[in-house]
Amino acid sequence: MKFDFLNLSLRHGLFHQEQDGISCFLPGSAITVRFQGREITAEIEDVNGEGKSWVNVYIDDLPVRVMRIDPDNRLYQLADDLEDIPHTLTLQKRTEAAFGSIKFTDLTTEKGTFLSPPAPLPHRMLIIGDSITCGFGNEAQIPCDCDASRENIALAYSSLTGQLLNAETLIVGASGTGCYQNFGGAKEGRMSDYFMETICPYLDQEAMDPFDPEMIVVNLGTNDWSAPIEPSDYIEQYRKLVGFIRGRYHSAPLFCAIGPMTLGPSPYLKALVESLNEEGDENIHFVEFPLIKRPEDGMGGCGHPSVKKHRQMAEQLAGTINEICSLPRPNSRR
Protein backbone atom coordinates (compact mmCIF):
# COMPACT_ATOMS: atom_id res chain seq x y z
CA MET A 1 0.00 0.00 0.00
CA LYS A 2 1.33 3.43 -0.96
CA PHE A 3 2.12 5.97 1.73
CA ASP A 4 -0.82 8.23 2.63
CA PHE A 5 0.69 11.69 2.11
CA LEU A 6 -2.63 13.44 2.71
CA ASN A 7 -3.10 12.14 6.25
CA LEU A 8 0.36 11.08 7.43
CA SER A 9 2.53 14.03 6.34
CA LEU A 10 2.77 17.63 7.42
CA ARG A 11 3.32 19.70 4.29
CA HIS A 12 5.27 22.95 4.40
CA GLY A 13 4.63 25.21 1.42
CA LEU A 14 2.69 24.54 -1.75
CA PHE A 15 1.88 20.98 -2.87
CA HIS A 16 -0.34 19.42 -5.51
CA GLN A 17 -2.06 16.07 -5.10
CA GLU A 18 -1.11 13.65 -7.89
CA GLN A 19 -2.51 10.19 -8.64
CA ASP A 20 0.73 8.61 -7.45
CA GLY A 21 1.94 11.08 -4.82
CA ILE A 22 2.36 14.81 -4.20
CA SER A 23 4.44 17.31 -6.20
CA CYS A 24 6.06 20.67 -5.49
CA PHE A 25 8.16 23.26 -7.30
CA LEU A 26 8.75 26.23 -4.98
CA PRO A 27 11.97 26.41 -2.92
CA GLY A 28 11.57 25.38 0.69
CA SER A 29 8.64 23.08 0.00
CA ALA A 30 8.94 20.21 2.48
CA ILE A 31 7.18 17.28 4.08
CA THR A 32 7.57 16.08 7.65
CA VAL A 33 6.52 12.63 8.83
CA ARG A 34 6.84 10.66 12.06
CA PHE A 35 7.62 6.96 12.25
CA GLN A 36 8.86 4.28 14.61
CA GLY A 37 11.48 1.98 13.20
CA ARG A 38 15.12 1.49 12.32
CA GLU A 39 15.08 2.46 8.66
CA ILE A 40 13.19 4.56 6.13
CA THR A 41 13.20 4.79 2.34
CA ALA A 42 11.75 7.45 0.05
CA GLU A 43 10.63 7.27 -3.55
CA ILE A 44 11.12 10.64 -5.27
CA GLU A 45 10.74 11.54 -8.94
CA ASP A 46 12.56 14.25 -10.86
CA VAL A 47 9.57 15.61 -12.79
CA ASN A 48 11.60 17.58 -15.32
CA GLY A 49 14.18 14.87 -15.85
CA GLU A 50 17.14 17.27 -15.75
CA GLY A 51 18.76 16.22 -12.47
CA LYS A 52 19.01 19.75 -11.07
CA SER A 53 16.68 19.43 -8.07
CA TRP A 54 18.27 18.94 -4.66
CA VAL A 55 16.74 17.92 -1.33
CA ASN A 56 17.81 18.43 2.29
CA VAL A 57 17.19 15.42 4.56
CA TYR A 58 16.62 15.91 8.29
CA ILE A 59 16.11 13.12 10.81
CA ASP A 60 15.07 14.12 14.32
CA ASP A 61 15.69 17.76 13.30
CA LEU A 62 19.34 17.09 12.41
CA PRO A 63 20.65 17.54 8.85
CA VAL A 64 21.88 14.11 7.75
CA ARG A 65 22.10 14.25 3.96
CA VAL A 66 21.91 16.42 0.84
CA MET A 67 20.59 14.55 -2.21
CA ARG A 68 20.45 15.29 -5.89
CA ILE A 69 17.26 13.84 -7.34
CA ASP A 70 18.52 11.60 -10.12
CA PRO A 71 16.30 11.32 -13.23
CA ASP A 72 17.35 7.67 -13.53
CA ASN A 73 16.63 6.75 -9.92
CA ARG A 74 13.57 7.06 -7.72
CA LEU A 75 14.49 5.04 -4.63
CA TYR A 76 16.56 6.61 -1.81
CA GLN A 77 17.58 4.83 1.38
CA LEU A 78 17.55 7.65 3.94
CA ALA A 79 18.52 5.71 7.07
CA ASP A 80 19.04 2.06 8.03
CA ASP A 81 20.61 1.99 11.49
CA LEU A 82 18.30 4.04 13.71
CA GLU A 83 17.13 3.12 17.20
CA ASP A 84 13.72 1.46 17.17
CA ILE A 85 12.02 4.51 18.69
CA PRO A 86 9.83 7.32 17.26
CA HIS A 87 11.64 9.52 14.72
CA THR A 88 10.85 12.59 12.65
CA LEU A 89 11.85 12.86 8.99
CA THR A 90 11.79 16.09 6.96
CA LEU A 91 12.49 16.23 3.22
CA GLN A 92 12.98 19.79 1.99
CA LYS A 93 13.33 20.95 -1.61
CA ARG A 94 16.39 23.18 -1.41
CA THR A 95 16.34 24.48 -5.01
CA GLU A 96 13.99 26.83 -6.86
CA ALA A 97 11.50 25.99 -9.61
CA ALA A 98 13.92 26.92 -12.41
CA PHE A 99 16.00 23.88 -11.43
CA GLY A 100 12.99 21.57 -11.61
CA SER A 101 9.99 20.13 -9.81
CA ILE A 102 9.90 16.96 -7.74
CA LYS A 103 7.26 14.43 -6.79
CA PHE A 104 7.18 12.35 -3.62
CA THR A 105 5.58 9.04 -4.63
CA ASP A 106 6.15 6.77 -1.61
CA LEU A 107 7.69 6.35 1.85
CA THR A 108 8.35 2.95 3.44
CA THR A 109 9.73 1.76 6.76
CA GLU A 110 10.32 -2.00 6.81
CA LYS A 111 9.15 -3.54 10.11
CA GLY A 112 8.29 -0.01 11.25
CA THR A 113 5.15 2.03 11.70
CA PHE A 114 4.17 5.51 10.54
CA LEU A 115 2.72 7.75 13.23
CA SER A 116 0.50 10.81 13.14
CA PRO A 117 2.35 13.83 11.71
CA PRO A 118 3.46 16.71 13.95
CA ALA A 119 1.38 19.86 14.30
CA PRO A 120 2.28 22.84 12.10
CA LEU A 121 4.23 25.72 13.56
CA PRO A 122 2.09 28.39 15.26
CA HIS A 123 2.71 31.24 12.80
CA ARG A 124 2.52 31.67 9.02
CA MET A 125 4.67 33.91 6.83
CA LEU A 126 4.73 34.57 3.09
CA ILE A 127 7.94 35.82 1.43
CA ILE A 128 8.03 37.00 -2.20
CA GLY A 129 11.41 37.65 -3.81
CA ASP A 130 14.17 36.91 -6.27
CA SER A 131 17.44 34.95 -6.20
CA ILE A 132 18.38 36.42 -2.82
CA THR A 133 15.19 35.01 -1.32
CA CYS A 134 15.97 31.61 -2.92
CA GLY A 135 19.50 31.49 -1.46
CA PHE A 136 21.07 31.42 -4.93
CA GLY A 137 24.82 30.73 -4.63
CA ASN A 138 24.81 31.00 -0.85
CA GLU A 139 26.96 27.88 -0.45
CA ALA A 140 29.42 28.84 -3.18
CA GLN A 141 33.05 27.87 -2.69
CA ILE A 142 34.36 30.26 -5.36
CA PRO A 143 32.82 33.50 -6.74
CA CYS A 144 31.43 31.91 -9.92
CA ASP A 145 30.16 28.76 -8.21
CA CYS A 146 26.44 29.15 -8.95
CA ASP A 147 25.04 25.80 -10.04
CA ALA A 148 22.01 24.19 -8.41
CA SER A 149 24.06 22.33 -5.82
CA ARG A 150 25.18 25.65 -4.27
CA GLU A 151 21.64 26.92 -3.65
CA ASN A 152 20.37 25.99 -0.19
CA ILE A 153 17.03 27.48 0.79
CA ALA A 154 17.48 26.22 4.36
CA LEU A 155 20.31 28.75 4.85
CA ALA A 156 18.64 31.63 3.00
CA TYR A 157 17.32 34.57 4.99
CA SER A 158 13.76 33.59 4.01
CA SER A 159 13.87 30.17 5.68
CA LEU A 160 16.01 31.39 8.57
CA THR A 161 13.54 34.17 9.33
CA GLY A 162 10.75 31.62 9.43
CA GLN A 163 12.74 29.50 11.86
CA LEU A 164 13.45 32.47 14.11
CA LEU A 165 9.75 33.40 14.16
CA ASN A 166 8.51 29.81 14.55
CA ALA A 167 6.52 30.27 11.36
CA GLU A 168 5.45 28.01 8.53
CA THR A 169 6.94 29.90 5.58
CA LEU A 170 5.69 29.93 2.01
CA ILE A 171 8.58 31.12 -0.19
CA VAL A 172 7.60 32.43 -3.62
CA GLY A 173 11.01 33.11 -5.14
CA ALA A 174 12.66 32.94 -8.55
CA SER A 175 16.11 34.07 -9.62
CA GLY A 176 16.36 36.99 -12.02
CA THR A 177 12.85 38.29 -11.38
CA GLY A 178 11.79 41.79 -10.50
CA CYS A 179 8.72 43.85 -9.76
CA TYR A 180 8.60 46.00 -12.94
CA GLN A 181 11.35 44.29 -14.93
CA ASN A 182 13.61 41.27 -14.62
CA PHE A 183 17.39 41.07 -14.79
CA GLY A 184 18.50 42.78 -17.99
CA GLY A 185 15.18 44.57 -18.52
CA ALA A 186 12.78 41.85 -19.70
CA LYS A 187 9.15 42.35 -18.65
CA GLU A 188 7.85 38.83 -19.31
CA GLY A 189 7.79 36.54 -16.27
CA ARG A 190 8.38 39.23 -13.65
CA MET A 191 7.65 38.19 -10.09
CA SER A 192 4.79 40.64 -9.49
CA ASP A 193 2.78 39.07 -12.34
CA TYR A 194 3.89 35.54 -11.41
CA PHE A 195 2.59 35.93 -7.87
CA MET A 196 -0.69 37.57 -8.86
CA GLU A 197 -1.50 35.54 -11.96
CA THR A 198 0.04 32.11 -11.28
CA ILE A 199 0.75 31.45 -7.60
CA CYS A 200 -2.45 32.80 -6.06
CA PRO A 201 -4.77 31.01 -8.53
CA TYR A 202 -2.73 27.86 -7.87
CA LEU A 203 -3.21 28.32 -4.12
CA ASP A 204 -6.95 28.74 -4.61
CA GLN A 205 -7.57 25.96 -7.13
CA GLU A 206 -4.87 23.28 -6.98
CA ALA A 207 -2.85 23.47 -3.76
CA MET A 208 -3.49 20.75 -1.21
CA ASP A 209 -3.46 23.12 1.75
CA PRO A 210 -4.80 26.64 2.29
CA PHE A 211 -2.33 29.29 3.39
CA ASP A 212 -3.38 32.47 5.20
CA PRO A 213 -0.24 34.39 6.22
CA GLU A 214 0.00 36.44 9.39
CA MET A 215 2.84 38.48 7.90
CA ILE A 216 4.12 39.10 4.38
CA VAL A 217 7.57 40.12 3.12
CA VAL A 218 8.35 41.41 -0.38
CA ASN A 219 11.99 41.79 -1.46
CA LEU A 220 11.90 42.95 -5.09
CA GLY A 221 13.97 45.62 -6.82
CA THR A 222 17.47 44.23 -7.14
CA ASN A 223 16.86 42.97 -10.68
CA ASP A 224 14.75 45.99 -11.58
CA TRP A 225 17.87 48.13 -11.12
CA SER A 226 20.04 45.84 -13.28
CA ALA A 227 18.96 47.73 -16.42
CA PRO A 228 17.88 51.32 -17.19
CA ILE A 229 14.60 52.07 -15.43
CA GLU A 230 12.27 54.95 -14.64
CA PRO A 231 11.71 54.74 -10.87
CA SER A 232 8.10 55.78 -11.44
CA ASP A 233 7.50 52.57 -13.42
CA TYR A 234 8.86 50.50 -10.55
CA ILE A 235 6.70 52.34 -8.02
CA GLU A 236 3.58 52.05 -10.15
CA GLN A 237 3.97 48.27 -10.51
CA TYR A 238 4.93 47.89 -6.84
CA ARG A 239 1.80 49.82 -5.83
CA LYS A 240 -0.26 47.47 -8.01
CA LEU A 241 1.31 44.46 -6.25
CA VAL A 242 0.62 45.98 -2.82
CA GLY A 243 -2.99 46.65 -3.82
CA PHE A 244 -3.40 43.03 -4.88
CA ILE A 245 -1.87 41.78 -1.62
CA ARG A 246 -4.12 44.06 0.39
CA GLY A 247 -7.18 42.90 -1.52
CA ARG A 248 -6.32 39.29 -0.75
CA TYR A 249 -4.75 39.54 2.72
CA HIS A 250 -6.51 42.51 4.27
CA SER A 251 -4.82 42.85 7.64
CA ALA A 252 -1.47 41.03 7.46
CA PRO A 253 1.50 43.32 8.21
CA LEU A 254 3.45 43.88 4.99
CA PHE A 255 7.23 44.39 5.04
CA CYS A 256 8.73 45.93 1.91
CA ALA A 257 12.41 44.99 1.94
CA ILE A 258 15.36 45.84 -0.28
CA GLY A 259 19.02 44.80 -0.34
CA PRO A 260 21.67 43.67 0.24
CA MET A 261 23.06 43.58 -3.32
CA THR A 262 21.91 47.08 -4.27
CA LEU A 263 20.09 49.91 -2.55
CA GLY A 264 19.22 51.73 -5.78
CA PRO A 265 15.45 51.29 -5.26
CA SER A 266 15.68 52.16 -1.57
CA PRO A 267 14.68 55.87 -1.56
CA TYR A 268 11.78 55.25 -3.95
CA LEU A 269 10.50 52.23 -2.05
CA LYS A 270 10.77 54.05 1.27
CA ALA A 271 8.84 56.99 -0.17
CA LEU A 272 6.13 54.64 -1.45
CA VAL A 273 5.74 53.04 1.97
CA GLU A 274 5.48 56.47 3.58
CA SER A 275 2.89 57.49 1.01
CA LEU A 276 0.83 54.35 1.64
CA ASN A 277 1.02 55.02 5.37
CA GLU A 278 -0.27 58.56 4.81
CA GLU A 279 -3.10 57.16 2.68
CA GLY A 280 -4.30 55.16 5.66
CA ASP A 281 -2.48 51.83 5.56
CA GLU A 282 -0.24 51.99 8.61
CA ASN A 283 0.47 48.27 8.51
CA ILE A 284 3.09 48.55 5.74
CA HIS A 285 6.74 48.81 6.78
CA PHE A 286 10.06 49.48 5.07
CA VAL A 287 13.11 47.26 5.69
CA GLU A 288 16.58 47.99 4.28
CA PHE A 289 19.25 45.29 4.43
CA PRO A 290 22.75 46.82 4.56
CA LEU A 291 24.92 46.24 1.52
CA ILE A 292 27.24 43.23 1.53
CA LYS A 293 30.61 44.08 3.04
CA ARG A 294 33.57 42.13 1.79
CA PRO A 295 35.54 40.41 3.11
CA GLU A 296 33.72 40.70 6.44
CA ASP A 297 30.41 39.21 5.23
CA GLY A 298 31.95 36.55 3.01
CA MET A 299 31.03 36.02 -0.61
CA GLY A 300 28.27 33.98 -2.18
CA GLY A 301 28.20 32.97 -5.82
CA CYS A 302 27.85 35.60 -8.57
CA GLY A 303 27.85 38.49 -6.11
CA HIS A 304 25.07 37.08 -3.93
CA PRO A 305 25.04 37.07 -0.13
CA SER A 306 26.89 34.34 1.72
CA VAL A 307 25.39 32.11 4.37
CA LYS A 308 26.81 34.48 6.97
CA LYS A 309 25.10 37.48 5.37
CA HIS A 310 21.82 35.58 5.08
CA ARG A 311 21.96 34.91 8.81
CA GLN A 312 22.48 38.63 9.50
CA MET A 313 19.52 39.47 7.26
CA ALA A 314 17.30 36.93 8.98
CA GLU A 315 18.13 38.26 12.42
CA GLN A 316 17.40 41.82 11.28
CA LEU A 317 14.14 40.92 9.56
CA ALA A 318 12.89 38.65 12.34
CA GLY A 319 13.68 41.35 14.88
CA THR A 320 11.71 43.94 12.89
CA ILE A 321 8.74 41.63 12.35
CA ASN A 322 8.72 40.58 15.98
CA GLU A 323 8.77 44.20 17.10
CA ILE A 324 5.80 45.06 14.87
CA CYS A 325 3.79 41.87 15.38
CA SER A 326 4.67 41.18 19.05
CA LEU A 327 5.08 37.45 18.46
CA PRO A 328 5.91 35.15 21.39
CA ARG A 329 9.57 34.35 21.79
CA PRO A 330 10.31 31.57 19.27
CA ASN A 331 11.76 28.15 19.82
CA SER A 332 14.18 26.89 17.18
CA ARG A 333 12.96 23.83 15.25
CA ARG A 334 16.29 23.11 13.56
Side-chain angles (χ1 to χ4, degrees):
M1 180 179 294
K2 287 277 190 176
F3 180 79
D4 183 358
F5 286 98
L6 180 62
N7 294 302
L8 291 178
S9 71
L10 171 63
R11 296 164 297 280
H12 316 277
L14 193 158
F15 281 86
H16 182 250
Q17 180 79 62
E18 309 280 358
Q19 285 189 339
D20 57 346
I22 59 175
S23 61
C24 61
F25 56 94
L26 291 177
S29 300
I31 61 170
T32 298
V33 302
R34 296 178 63 246
F35 67 98
Q36 177 154 344
R38 295 183 178 278
E39 60 81 37
I40 188 163
T41 300
E43 189 176 295
I44 310 172
E45 178 184 345
D46 176 11
V47 175
N48 302 75
E50 296 180 357
K52 295 181 180 179
S53 290
W54 290 72
V55 169
N56 289 321
V57 181
Y58 299 87
I59 294 180
D60 298 333
D61 295 332
L62 297 175
V64 297
R65 186 175 176 187
V66 175
M67 303 190 313
R68 183 180 74 91
I69 305 306
D70 188 342
D72 300 320
N73 177 48
R74 292 192 181 187
L75 204 59
Y76 299 88
Q77 180 80 52
L78 305 178
D80 61 4
D81 58 352
L82 301 172
E83 287 188 77
D84 190 9
I85 59 174
H87 298 284
T88 300
L89 167 72
T90 296
L91 300 173
Q92 179 190 51
K93 187 175 186 292
R94 59 184 266 149
T95 46
E96 61 188 282
F99 292 127
S101 301
I102 60 174
K103 180 165 60 176
F104 299 101
T105 55
D106 203 9
L107 288 171
T108 57
T109 175
E110 187 177 353
K111 298 181 181 178
T113 305
F114 285 102
L115 309 172
S116 297
L121 296 174
H123 304 294
R124 298 169 307 283
M125 178 172 60
L126 167 65
I127 298 188
I128 304 166
D130 50 32
S131 57
I132 301 168
T133 297
C134 295
F136 183 85
N138 60 350
E139 288 192 336
Q141 303 299 308
I142 57 176
C144 296
D145 196 3
C146 294
D147 66 20
S149 68
R150 301 306 184 187
E151 180 175 282
N152 184 1
I153 191 65
L155 298 180
Y157 84 92
S158 46
S159 290
L160 295 172
T161 301
Q163 291 177 32
L164 291 171
L165 296 176
N166 223 13
E168 296 288 347
T169 305
L170 176 59
I171 300 169
V172 182
S175 291
T177 56
C179 184
Y180 171 72
Q181 63 183 8
N182 296 333
F183 183 80
K187 309 298 188 296
E188 184 178 354
R190 56 194 182 181
M191 177 53 69
S192 53
D193 296 330
Y194 180 64
F195 176 73
M196 294 186 286
E197 299 172 6
T198 300
I199 294 299
C200 287
Y202 195 103
L203 276 167
D204 294 339
Q205 300 166 18
E206 299 187 56
M208 292 179 67
D209 309 292
F211 192 83
D212 187 18
E214 295 174 66
M215 47 246 175
I216 301 169
V217 178
V218 177
N219 186 357
L220 291 174
T222 298
N223 290 307
D224 292 85
W225 256 250
S226 69
I229 187 173
E230 288 294 333
S232 59
D233 290 332
Y234 170 74
I235 292 304
E236 180 181 354
Q237 183 65 13
Y238 206 112
R239 183 182 278 272
K240 178 181 177 182
L241 175 61
V242 169
F244 177 88
I245 291 172
R246 271 293 168 256
R248 184 179 177 89
Y249 306 113
H250 306 289
S251 59
L254 173 59
F255 299 85
C256 300
I258 195 64
M261 292 177 69
T262 180
L263 297 182
S266 188
Y268 309 104
L269 183 55
K270 184 177 182 181
L272 173 62
V273 170
E274 292 172 350
S275 178
L276 292 168
N277 293 158
E278 292 170 359
E279 292 169 19
D281 193 338
E282 297 182 352
N283 216 8
I284 301 181
H285 312 276
F286 175 71
V287 179
E288 182 179 275
F289 296 119
L291 290 173
I292 300 169
K293 295 180 181 179
R294 297 192 176 98
E296 302 99 302
D297 294 339
M299 181 182 295
C302 302
H304 287 74
S306 64
V307 168
K308 179 180 179 181
K309 184 63 175 180
H310 275 283
R311 171 61 68 177
Q312 295 171 3
M313 294 167 65
E315 291 173 352
Q316 176 188 346
L317 181 57
T320 300
I321 292 174
N322 194 50
E323 182 179 345
I324 299 298
C325 300
S326 300
L327 300 177
R329 187 171 181 83
N331 296 312
S332 177
R333 182 174 67 177
R334 284 197 290 271

